[in-house]
């Protein structure tokens, strides 16, 4: 593979691969499962017919007659059909007599702060919000930025945008003002929905001030809609700023939704690529909704009339879009919506939520599982988790130890674990076991979902054999696939469709084991995965060189026991900058970490910053990141003969050892 051969936790993975531990589905589970064993053959026999059947589970105002129009790499799914995503998620369930069914059990971070939202409540709220957005001049096609904590109004805002055909662009509340501004500008949003603040790790964190700061750079934003969540004081610009309780809650609770064509843009989600500029990934309506509804129903084996489903993620990421909002609501499911992080509200907060709400399906990231694992078996053991039926994992490779811990201590060896591989770009899950149908192996995502065609290929694009590794590609278009990068078709083509002609290049390494089952091994490019969050090395380098003292910066993702990867930065300072002693070094390192936090967000703060007089470069002047990764992971150094000055890397290595791990 390339110099970016994934390493984090992979040794452990491959060790287990040889052991090939496997759990076969118990027959009683298979008998009750939504998916039946024949599903793979049925989908393979006629992929498009199978997807069309999934699409027909939605309500179409105008039924589609075509399934796929494929002009590589541009796809249109169900193109002549018309539907409304919000109506499919809300109205149709109320119309079917399920208005009193709970859509969300909302749990705020402060203990006891809860709300129950039924489908009828949701319909009224969404209708009010849609009316309010229209009164602010938002029309179909206009982009709306959403920068909010995990409160019901965030979901309502997304659905209200969908209802009026205005693509939303949700920006994770942990991003900085600058990151928010660049996203607003890139897609030219004219309205921003936010809150005064939200609760994060036990304290009220501010959001509106970040919006105010961002908007100094965004003169085209004409309206800000602001929810009062924490009650903190906020600055106010008359005419531009509107309180949610004045604008939305006074609007009419009925709103006549119109239908849109299937390819109507539904949302943009910005994600990190290999350059400093995040990409606005575009998703459209009919195909996306089909994909997330089908995957939600079949992969989590959801019984909408019985189950309580909990995706413990933030709606600021794609996992929240697809498996908190669109998938579960399209299927009329009851979900838990939790404002806080696992570390807030006591170490057993999660288990209390599972117990209190009798959660049947829990979906989260390996980082969280590893954190819960660090806290010990006693906490989950002290709670009644017998309601749990299926467990899911997403966002990063799950190490077998965490998988086994999850199975034993959370699933009590009874619940199948679905390790689901997908990306912002894929819209929904593409590789996963199916509960009751597919065997599982600790650390493997196993096989493509029905109707999905994936392959592992070598450098030349040839499929590898069983027992071999390579690059993951998707060989046929799928309904939830991205329709492009906002405003940059060339980048869409070059990023995803050029590395191997005719197929989608995911950017991940993968391996087929001796049985042909798939193991996802992490990124093969300059994208890091920190606690399941994608951050590009270039973006962090860019932030660092933005500091006046910095001459050059090189950033790598080093494996980390809890967060999967952690950011390590190697920085050279400008000639005129004096860093004489330890105190001055510490002060500068602190300043640099804060620079990254204000440029991108606290999630991108390097775990460690090493100041060094030089960076290891080849004779042609290229920074050798591979060596820096070796240094950061305390590995024996690879080949250093091509370096301009091989002593540089030894010096950095010594500094790294001397500096210890500077925990973020
Ligand atoms: O490297 C893969 C990793 O997360 C990347 C996608 O990140 P993002 O677009 O932020 O979406 C995360 C949530 C879907 C992938 O390229 N990844 C995601 N799921 C898995 C995974 N790696 C291994 N196993 C997974 N189950």
């Amino acid at each position: 593979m390339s110099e970016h051969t994934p390493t984090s936790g992979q040794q452990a993975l491959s060790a287990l691969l040889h052991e090939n531990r496997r759990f076969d589905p118990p027959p009683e589970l298979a008998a009750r499962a939504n998916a039946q064993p024949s599903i793979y053959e049925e989908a393979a026999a006629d992929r498009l017919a199978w997807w069309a059947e999934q699409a027909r589970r939605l309500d179409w105002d105008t039924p589609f007659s075509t399934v796929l129009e494929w002009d590589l790499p541009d796809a249109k799914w169900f193109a002549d059909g018309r539907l409304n995503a919000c109506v499919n998620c809300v109205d149709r369930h109320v119309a079917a007599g399920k208005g009193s069914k709970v859509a969300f059990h909302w749990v705020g971070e402060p203990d006891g702060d809860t709300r129950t939202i039924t489908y009828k409540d949701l319909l009224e709220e969404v209708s009010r919000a849609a009316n309010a957005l229209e009164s602010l001049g938002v029309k179909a096609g206009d982009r709306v930025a959403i920068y909010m904590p995990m409160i019901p109004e965030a979901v309502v805002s997304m659905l209200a945008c969908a209802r009026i055909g205005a693509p939303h662009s949700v920006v994770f509340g942990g991003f900085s003002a600058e990151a928010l501004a660049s996203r607003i500008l890139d897609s030219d949003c004219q309205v921003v929905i936010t809150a005064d603040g939200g609760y994060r790790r036990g304290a009220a964190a501010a959001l509106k001030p970040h919006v105010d700061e961002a908007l100094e750079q965004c003169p085209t934003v004409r309206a800000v809609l602001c929810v009062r969540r924490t009650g903190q004081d906020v600055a106010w610009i008359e005419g531009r700023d509107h309180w949610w309780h004045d604008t939305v809650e006074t609007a009419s609770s009925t709103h006549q939704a119109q239908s849109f064509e299937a390819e109507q843009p539904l949302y943009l989600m910005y994600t990190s690529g290999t350059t400093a500029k995040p990409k606005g990934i575009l998703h459209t309506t009919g195909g996306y909704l089909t994909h997330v509804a089908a995957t939600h129903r079949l992969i989590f084996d959801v019984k909408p009339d019985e189950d309580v489903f909990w995706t413990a993620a933030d709606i600021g990421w794609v996992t929240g879009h697809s498996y908190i909002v669109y998938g579960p609501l399209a299927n009329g499911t009851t979900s838990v919506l939790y404002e806080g992080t696992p570390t807030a509200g006591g170490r057993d907060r999660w288990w209390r939520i599972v117990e209190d709400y009798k959660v049947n399906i829990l979906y989260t990231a390996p980082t969280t599982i590893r954190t819960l694992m660090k806290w010990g078996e006693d906490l989950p053991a002290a709670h009644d988790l017998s309601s749990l039926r299926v467990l899911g994992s997403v966002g990063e490779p799950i190490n077998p130890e965490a998988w086994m811990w999850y199975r034993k201590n959370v699933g009590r060896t009874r619940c199948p674990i679905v390790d689901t591989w997908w990306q912002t770009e894929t819209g929904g899950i593409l590789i996963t076991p199916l509960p009751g149908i597919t065997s599982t192996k600790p650390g493997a995502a196993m096989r493509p979902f029905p109707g999905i065609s994936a392959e592992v290929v070598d450098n030349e694009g040839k499929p590898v054999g069983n027992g071999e590794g390579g690059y993951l590609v998707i060989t046929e278009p799928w309904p939830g696939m991205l329709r492009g990068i906002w405003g940059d078709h060339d980048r869409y083509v070059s990023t995803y469709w050029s590395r191997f002609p005719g197929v989608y290049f995911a950017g991940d390494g993968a391996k087929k084991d001796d049985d042909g089952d798939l193991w996802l091994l992490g990124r093969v490019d300059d994208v890091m995965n920190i606690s399941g969050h994608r951050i590009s090395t270039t973006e962090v380098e860019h932030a660092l060189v933005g500091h006046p003292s910095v001459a050059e910066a090189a950033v790598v993702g080093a494996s980390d026991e809890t967060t999967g990867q952690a950011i390590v930065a190697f920085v050279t300072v400008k000639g005129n900058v004096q860093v004489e002693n330890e105190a001055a070094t510490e002060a500068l390192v602190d300043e640099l970490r804060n620079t990254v936090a204000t440029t991108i967000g606290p999630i991108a703060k390097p775990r460690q910053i090493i100041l060094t007089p030089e960076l290891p470069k080849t004779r042609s002047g290229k920074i050798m990141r591979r060596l820096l990764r070796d240094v950061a992971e305390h590995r024996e150094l690879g080949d250093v003969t091509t370096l301009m000055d091989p002593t540089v890397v030894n010096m950095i290595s010594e500094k790294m050892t001397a500096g210890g791990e500077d925990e973020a």
Side-chain angles (χ1 to χ4, degrees):
M1 267 190 232
S2 71
E3 73 164 83
H4 300 295
T5 304
T7 51
S8 56
Q10 308 313 329
Q11 280 89 349
L13 263 180
S14 60
L16 220 108
L17 187 59
H18 296 302
E19 234 180 275
N20 224 358
R21 189 164 8 188
R22 150 193 181 138
F23 298 97
D24 293 326
E28 66 277 10
L29 232 155
R32 274 199 83 225
N34 287 346
Q36 289 306 305
S38 56
I39 193 170
Y40 289 106
E41 289 75 50
E42 281 161 22
D46 191 341
R47 223 171 61 80
L48 297 184
W50 190 82
W51 278 117
E53 197 185 310
Q54 305 310 313
R56 285 192 198 99
R57 300 177 74 100
L58 299 174
D59 278 3
W60 295 81
D61 295 308
T62 308
F64 55 89
S65 65
T66 64
V67 179
L68 172 66
E69 290 170 27
W70 181 223
D71 181 8
L72 193 140
D74 298 308
K76 288 185 181 166
W77 283 84
F78 317 118
D80 60 350
R82 293 180 70 87
L83 76 170
N84 185 294
C86 178
V87 168
N88 270 282
C89 288
V90 187
D91 305 44
R92 68 168 173 155
H93 304 310
V94 177
K98 298 205 310 186
S100 58
K101 187 178 163 57
V102 175
F104 290 107
H105 293 293
W106 177 74
V107 183
E109 200 191 87
D111 237 330
D113 191 2
T114 60
R115 274 165 69 185
T116 305
I117 295 123
T118 64
Y119 274 92
K120 179 168 171 286
D121 298 335
L122 196 58
L123 177 58
E124 288 176 6
E125 267 307 280
V126 163
S127 300
R128 286 194 186 95
N131 284 321
L133 286 175
E134 283 178 346
S135 75
L136 293 172
V138 181
K139 304 179 301 304
D142 293 351
R143 275 81 56 202
V144 174
I146 299 178
Y147 183 66
M148 291 177 98
M150 283 279 288
I151 53 177
E153 288 82 354
V155 178
V156 168
S157 299
M158 290 166 70
L159 292 169
C161 288
R163 191 174 188 88
I164 62 174
H168 52 73
S169 167
V170 179
V171 179
F172 173 57
F175 275 123
S176 66
E178 203 166 319
L180 173 63
S182 72
R183 286 158 175 76
I184 291 174
L185 286 170
D186 187 72
S187 54
D188 192 20
C189 297
Q190 294 181 4
V191 170
V192 180
I193 311 179
T194 187
D196 51 358
Y199 290 96
R200 203 114 193 117
R201 299 199 161 86
L207 285 173
K208 173 77 163 48
H210 294 172
V211 174
D212 293 334
E213 191 187 330
L215 295 193
E216 286 168 18
Q217 299 175 49
C218 309
T220 55
V221 172
R222 56 167 199 276
V224 175
L225 193 52
C226 182
V227 176
R228 181 137 64 203
R229 162 79 184 118
T230 61
Q232 58 201 298
D233 282 340
V234 290
W236 207 250
I237 296 187
E238 283 307 327
R240 186 197 73 179
D241 297 349
H242 308 265
W243 282 115
W244 180 279
H245 52 263
D246 289 338
T247 317
V248 175
E249 270 151 41
T250 56
S252 160
S253 63
T254 56
H255 177 272
Q256 189 56 47
Q258 53 166 313
S259 59
F260 296 99
E261 54 185 41
E263 287 297 335
Q264 172 77 11
L266 179 63
Y267 70 81
L268 292 171
M269 171 102 260
Y270 282 83
T271 187
S272 290
T274 51
T275 70
K277 189 174 185 289
K279 303 172 286 202
I281 303 300
L282 172 66
H283 285 292
T284 59
T285 305
Y288 172 80
L289 207 58
T290 298
H291 188 157
V292 296
T295 48
H296 176 254
R297 189 173 63 84
L298 295 165
I299 296 167
F300 299 106
D301 195 34
V302 178
K303 321 284 181 202
D305 291 334
E306 305 163 21
D307 281 341
V308 176
F309 180 80
W310 183 17
T311 291
D314 196 287
I315 57 143
W317 309 107
V318 76
T319 304
H321 281 49
S322 300
Y323 299 106
I324 294 177
V325 181
Y326 290 109
L329 292 177
N331 289 328
T333 311
T334 298
S335 286
V336 167
L337 180 66
Y338 175 50
E339 183 185 27
T341 56
T343 44
R347 290 183 166 183
D348 69 341
R349 184 73 192 270
W350 267 39
W351 312 129
R352 279 195 281 136
I353 294 175
V354 170
E355 187 170 0
D356 289 352
Y357 292 95
K358 301 201 172 12
V359 172
N360 303 102
I361 301 147
L362 174 65
Y363 188 35
T364 191
T367 292
T368 311
I369 299 165
R370 287 190 291 264
T371 303
L372 297 165
M373 186 170 152
K374 249 190 337 207
W375 293 342
E377 300 183 355
D378 294 351
L379 294 169
H383 292 271
D384 178 4
L385 307 184
S386 60
S387 55
L388 287 172
R389 205 162 55 70
V390 178
L391 303 176
S393 171
V394 60
E396 44 177 328
I398 178 162
N399 48 316
E401 296 72 25
W403 195 102
M404 290 301 292
W405 187 90
Y406 199 28
R407 175 181 151 86
K408 172 170 173 258
N409 296 290
V410 185
R412 310 266 158 95
T413 70
R414 183 188 72 242
C415 306
I417 296 183
V418 288
D419 173 9
T420 62
W421 178 92
W422 58 297
Q423 311 175 295
T424 305
E425 292 87 340
T426 68
I429 298 165
L430 295 193
I431 302 177
T432 179
L434 292 178
I437 306 296
T438 320
S439 300
T440 57
K441 296 176 184 175
M446 299 305 287
R447 59 186 296 183
F449 182 73
I452 299 297
S453 312
E455 195 42 275
V456 181
V457 299
D458 65 15
N459 240 326
E460 276 71 55
K462 291 202 198 65
V464 303
N466 287 358
E468 291 173 20
Y471 302 95
L472 178 73
V473 296
I474 312 299
T475 56
E476 299 285 348
W478 65 100
M481 66 188 273
L482 76 165
R483 299 302 196 263
I485 295 175
W486 188 259
D488 201 343
H489 194 264
D490 291 349
R491 194 175 176 194
Y492 170 62
V493 176
S494 66
T495 308
Y496 306 108
W497 301 95
S498 299
R499 176 71 179 81
F500 301 107
V503 298
Y504 172 85
F505 172 54
D508 275 45
K511 189 165 180 134
K512 276 194 215 166
D513 69 13
D514 292 337
D515 303 323
D517 293 323
L518 294 173
W519 297 66
L520 279 309
L521 303 177
R523 303 289 308 185
V524 292
D525 54 15
D526 287 326
V527 174
M528 299 173 285
N529 191 325
I530 318 296
S531 305
H533 300 149
R534 250 162 94 166
I535 298 171
S536 99
T537 52
T538 337
E539 221 175 324
V540 180
E541 287 168 3
H542 203 75
L544 287 166
V545 296
H547 187 282
S549 299
V550 174
E552 253 189 321
V555 164
V556 298
S559 57
D560 183 281
E561 233 177 64
T562 307
T563 57
Q565 284 190 311
I567 304 174
V568 178
F570 300 88
V571 168
T572 64
V573 294
K574 288 185 182 152
N576 58 347
V577 178
Q578 301 292 321
V579 196
E580 287 120 357
N581 53 32
E582 230 172 86
T585 306
E586 251 176 56
L588 180 58
V589 164
D590 263 3
E591 229 182 279
L592 294 178
R593 293 179 67 229
N594 288 335
T595 301
V596 177
T598 45
T599 314
I600 305 171
I603 49 164
K605 269 190 185 179
R607 178 186 72 188
Q608 202 173 6
I609 296 181
I610 308 288
L611 300 184
T612 167
E614 272 181 76
L615 292 172
K617 288 187 183 161
T618 60
R619 290 186 196 99
S620 58
K622 196 168 164 261
I623 296 172
M624 286 192 74
R625 282 200 181 68
R626 175 175 56 79
L627 285 180
L628 290 174
R629 260 171 82 157
D630 287 345
V631 172
E633 296 185 337
H634 308 288
R635 258 200 313 272
E636 207 164 292
L637 299 179
D639 182 12
V640 296
T641 52
T642 51
L643 281 180
M644 196 151 46
D645 177 359
T647 60
V648 169
V649 72
N650 288 328
M651 181 187 61
I652 298 178
S653 186
E654 276 160 29
K655 274 177 166 280
M656 180 91 194
T657 317
E661 310 277 284
D662 177 14
E663 278 299 325

